[in-house]
Amino acid sequence: CIEVNNQVYSFIVEDTSHLQTTEIYAKLKRLNLQMLEAGYVPDIHLALHDVEQKEDFLSHHSEMLAIAFGLLNTVAGTPIHVIKNLRVCSDCHTATKFISKIV
């Protein structure tokens, strides 16, 4: 979950139910390219699902969608707080650190 403008938004993995789905996934794609240029290496052994593009699957975790949504809907420099009821995987933790450096 993320709160933007006094409204709470929830996301699930591979979520496509949000009105800004297209913009969110486009933002994630741009962020992934920037992270890779900055030295980020996706930890694909964490993607336990049988999917072809494990790197894409990892970048579509709920917290990554929430971060992209927050970046799209807040002023640059605004702190983004994501609340999650489960433990954040180590890949998302690493990706979040890279995002913090590049935005």
Side-chain angles (χ1 to χ4, degrees):
C1 295
I2 185 170
E3 183 177 343
V4 175
N5 298 324
N6 297 318
Q7 186 171 350
V8 176
Y9 298 88
S10 296
F11 295 90
I12 60 173
V13 67
E14 300 258 315
D15 198 346
T16 59
S17 64
H18 196 277
L19 293 174
Q20 288 182 280
T21 295
T22 303
E23 294 89 347
I24 291 167
Y25 280 91
K27 180 70 170 179
L28 276 176
K29 189 171 188 168
R30 290 189 304 272
L31 285 171
N32 278 329
L33 290 174
Q34 290 176 298
M35 289 188 306
L36 290 169
E37 289 174 0
Y40 166 71
V41 177
D43 191 355
I44 60 171
H45 88 274
L46 294 171
L48 301 177
H49 300 279
D50 187 21
V51 292
E52 300 250 340
Q53 295 295 327
K54 290 185 177 192
E55 292 177 21
D56 288 340
F57 182 77
L58 286 172
S59 69
H60 299 162
H61 280 180
S62 60
E63 54 269 49
M64 300 307 292
L65 297 171
I67 290 169
F69 175 79
L71 291 171
L72 288 168
N73 292 284
T74 58
V75 177
T78 302
I80 295 176
H81 300 277
V82 175
I83 301 166
K84 186 172 168 97
N85 65 341
L86 299 170
R87 188 175 182 173
V88 174
C89 76
S90 62
D91 184 70
C92 287
H93 180 76
T94 301
T96 301
K97 291 191 292 186
F98 272 90
I99 292 170
S100 295
K101 292 178 182 178
I102 63 177
V103 297

